[in-house]
Amino acid sequence: MDRIKITGGQRLNGTIPISGAKNAALPLMIAALLTPDRLTLKNVPNLADVMNLGRILRNHGVDFSIAGKRPGQAEMQGETFHLTARDIVDTTAPYEMVSKMRASFWVLGPLLARCHEARVSLPGGCAIGTRPVDLHLDGLRALGAQIDLEDGYVVAKAPGGLTGGHIIFPKVSVGATHNVLMAAVLAKGETLIENAAREPEIGDVANCLVKMGAKIDGINTATLRIEGVPYLEGAVHTVLPDRIETGTYAMAVAATGGEVLLEGARADLLEEALDVLEKAGVSIERTNHGIKVAKNGQDLQPVDVETRPYPGFPTDLQAQLMALMTRVPGRSRIRETIFENRFMHVQELARLGAKISLEGDTATITGVPQLRGAQVMATDLRASASLVIGGLMAQGDTIINRVYHLDRGFERLEQKLERCGAQITRLSE
Ligand code: EPZ
C-alpha cells in the first residue's frame, strides 16, 4: 500500500491548478444513464472514484471512453469522457461495486426513470457516520416507485414509469437531491422538491440536465420545480472547479505561509470558507484567473465555526481547518453538524502533537507552537488531507499510511504541492 512522506517546514509559493470537482463529476457521469445519446464531459479529474464509477457504469451497459490529450493541452488539465448508454443491459448495481463508493447508489433514480426498474445494493457503512438512504427512498416513492428491501438490495419498480410528485425533504441531503432530481427529469408531469440541497455540484448537474433537454426551474435554490420530459438527448458539459480542493490548498498555504495562485478556482463556490480564512488573518485575493492566497509573518487568529449545508461552511473542509488551527495561538472551536462521526483525524493530528479535545459534536483546538512529524493513518478522504496539512507544518518527517483515501479525491496532490516547494514524496510498495 502506498504511503506519503512529507518533510515539513517549507513555505508554499507558486501556482496550483484546481481540478474539476469530484462531487460533480460523479453524478454527471451517472446522468449519462438518462439518455441513449452521447454525453461528453470535459475537465473530469483523474481520480480513483471516477475510474471506479466508470467500471460500474460499464456494467450497466454504458460505453465509456476517455479521449486522449490533444497537442497543446496542459498536462494538468482534466480528461474528456464520452459516455453513451444506448442500451442499458443490466439494472442491477451489485454489492461488490456499490460498497466501494457511496455515490454509485445514485444510479438508482436514473435507472428507475429510464428502465422503470432497478436493483441497487445498499451502500456500506462509512467511517464518517451511519449515512442512511431513507431520504433517497422516500423521495423516489413520492414519484410513484414501489420500493422493497431484499437481501441488502433496494429493489425499485415503476411499471408504468415514474410520475411527478411533491417532496419536502425533512433534512438537507446532497445525495437524495441528486437521486430524486435525476429521476424526476424523466417522470410524467411536474415534480416539486422543497428543502433541496444547494451545493454548487447539484447546480452543475442540473445545468447539464437542462442542456440534455430537461426542464428545471430554481437551479441553485432550495426549491426545484421539474417538468418531466419523455426523452433526454446528449450534451457536452464542462465540470465546474473543485471547491473542496480549492479550500484544502488555501488552508495548506495558510498553514505553511507563502503565496499561491489557485488557478481556475472560483471564489463564489466557497465564500463562507474564504470568509473564515480572511477573518483568521489569511490574505485572499479574488482574480480573473483564480484565487491568490497569501500568509506572510504574523500569527493567525483562532476561529469558531460550525459545518452547515451549502452555503454554510462545508463539512468536507472541517478536518483541514482543524489541522490549520492546531498551531494558531489561542482556542478554536469547530462544531460538526452534518456527520456524527467525522472526527477520526483528531487522534491522528494528536500524534503530530496537536492539542484537541472533543465533546460531543464539538472540537476545541488549543494552538501549540510547533507540530512534530510522526507516522499517521489516513482514515477517510478529507481526514487524509488534514494530515497532509499537518505534515507540511510539522518539524521533521511525517509518514501518511493508507493514502488510497487521498487518491479517491485529490488529483496529483504530491505533484501540485511539490511544484510549490513542498518536500513530499510517494513511497510505493
Ligand atoms: C455528499 O455526501 C458528498 N459526497 C460528501 O462528500 C459530503 O460530505 C456530503 O454530501 C455533505 O456535504 C458526494 O458528493 C459524492 P448527504 P452525501 O446525503 O450525499 C443524512 C467527500 O469527502 N442523510 O448530504 O452522502 C446523512 O447521514 C464526501 O467528498 C440521512 O439521514 O451526504 C448526513 O448526516 C464525503 N438520510 C446528512 O444527511 C439520507 O437518506 C447529509 O448527508 C441521506 C442522508
Side-chain angles (χ1 to χ4, degrees):
M1 238 180 273
D2 285 4
R3 295 176 301 160
I4 281 180
K5 178 178 167 193
I6 301 174
T7 307
Q10 313 299 321
R11 292 159 72 83
L12 294 173
N13 281 294
T15 298
I16 297 182
I18 296 302
S19 298
K22 167 183 82 87
N23 288 350
L26 298 175
L28 283 165
M29 289 170 70
I30 290 174
L33 290 169
L34 291 165
T35 173
D37 299 342
R38 182 154 99 167
L39 179 64
T40 297
L41 299 175
K42 296 184 176 176
N43 197 32
V44 181
N46 185 349
L47 298 170
D49 268 10
V50 163
M51 296 309 164
N52 195 21
L53 180 61
R55 280 188 281 278
I56 293 173
L57 293 175
R58 272 203 183 112
N59 196 53
H60 292 301
V62 178
D63 179 50
F64 160 54
S65 65
I66 303 176
K69 293 252 180 266
R70 285 188 296 282
Q73 252 187 335
E75 176 203 358
M76 293 283 194
Q77 227 156 359
E79 312 276 359
T80 296
F81 281 15
H82 299 298
L83 302 114
T84 312
R86 192 164 312 286
D87 298 304
I88 299 204
V89 295
D90 193 345
T91 53
T92 294
Y95 172 77
E96 303 74 60
M97 292 184 163
V98 181
S99 59
K100 281 199 196 128
M101 195 183 40
R102 190 178 163 85
S104 57
F105 184 74
W106 305 349
V107 299
L108 180 64
L111 284 177
L112 191 55
R114 175 136 172 235
C115 309
H116 304 176
E117 59 165 44
R119 190 168 164 269
V120 179
S121 169
L122 283 165
C126 174
I128 62 176
T130 49
R131 304 184 81 185
V133 291
D134 53 322
L135 302 173
H136 300 241
L137 303 188
D138 289 347
L140 294 173
R141 280 192 189 104
L143 301 184
Q146 299 155 16
I147 296 182
D148 293 303
L149 296 182
E150 286 171 17
D151 308 327
Y153 278 77
V154 172
V155 180
K157 292 189 181 111
L162 293 172
T163 46
H166 186 184
I167 294 123
I168 307 175
F169 282 122
K171 183 173 185 177
V172 177
S173 162
V174 172
T177 304
H178 276 305
N179 225 335
V180 176
L181 171 65
M182 287 195 276
V185 288
L186 285 184
K188 273 185 225 106
E190 189 180 276
T191 296
L192 183 63
I193 308 179
E194 293 188 71
N195 202 25
R198 281 180 284 165
E199 269 63 6
E201 294 75 23
I202 293 169
D204 203 36
V205 172
N207 285 326
C208 176
L209 292 171
V210 167
K211 287 183 197 164
M212 293 163 73
K215 293 188 177 152
I216 308 169
D217 271 350
I219 295 179
N220 290 321
T221 75
T223 306
L224 297 170
R225 197 178 287 276
I226 303 124
E227 181 62 44
V229 294
Y231 179 89
L232 291 182
E233 49 197 34
V236 179
H237 185 78
T238 302
V239 180
L240 90 175
D242 196 314
R243 66 195 163 97
I244 304 302
E245 189 195 28
T246 305
T248 301
Y249 289 127
M251 288 173 196
V253 178
T256 60
E259 185 172 317
V260 169
L261 173 69
L262 303 174
E263 193 179 41
R266 268 177 51 192
D268 62 305
L269 303 179
L270 73 161
E271 281 300 352
E272 180 64 28
L274 294 179
D275 258 21
V276 167
L277 289 179
E278 280 182 311
K279 282 194 189 119
V282 182
S283 151
I284 306 279
E285 197 188 324
R286 294 146 176 87
T287 77
N288 290 340
H289 311 292
I291 305 172
K292 206 179 265 176
V293 183
K295 200 241 155 199
N296 296 304
Q298 274 186 15
D299 283 335
L300 296 178
Q301 298 297 312
V303 297
D304 188 346
V305 168
E306 280 187 14
T307 61
R308 286 276 162 212
Y310 192 85
F313 188 90
T315 172
D316 287 348
L317 283 174
Q318 179 257 107
Q320 299 90 315
L321 180 67
M322 195 178 302
L324 168 62
M325 288 301 140
T326 56
R327 278 188 54 210
V328 173
R331 272 191 185 176
S332 292
R333 182 184 152 274
I334 302 181
R335 186 168 167 238
E336 171 59 56
T337 73
I338 310 288
F339 293 108
E340 74 271 24
N341 188 24
R342 208 173 196 181
F343 282 132
M344 307 278 277
H345 42 285
V346 169
Q347 63 195 35
E348 299 304 310
L349 289 171
R351 297 174 64 79
L352 301 175
K355 243 178 110 181
I356 305 169
S357 66
L358 272 183
E359 215 182 308
D361 61 4
T362 303
T364 305
I365 305 111
T366 308
V368 294
Q370 192 52 265
L371 299 181
R372 274 178 309 280
Q375 291 248 5
V376 289
M377 182 94 78
T379 51
D380 70 71
L381 169 57
R382 310 305 176 184
S384 324
S386 80
L387 300 178
V388 170
I389 294 176
L392 290 171
M393 282 190 284
Q395 263 174 356
D397 293 347
T398 294
I399 307 275
I400 305 178
N401 294 287
R402 296 200 186 165
V403 295
Y404 57 85
H405 286 294
L406 271 178
D407 296 336
R408 288 188 37 218
F410 287 91
E411 192 180 28
R412 300 174 195 263
L413 174 119
E414 307 100 270
Q415 211 178 338
K416 289 184 182 184
L417 287 171
E418 196 182 15
R419 285 188 184 177
C420 288
Q423 282 187 26
I424 179 167
T425 44
R426 181 175 287 250
L427 310 171
S428 295
E429 276 164 20

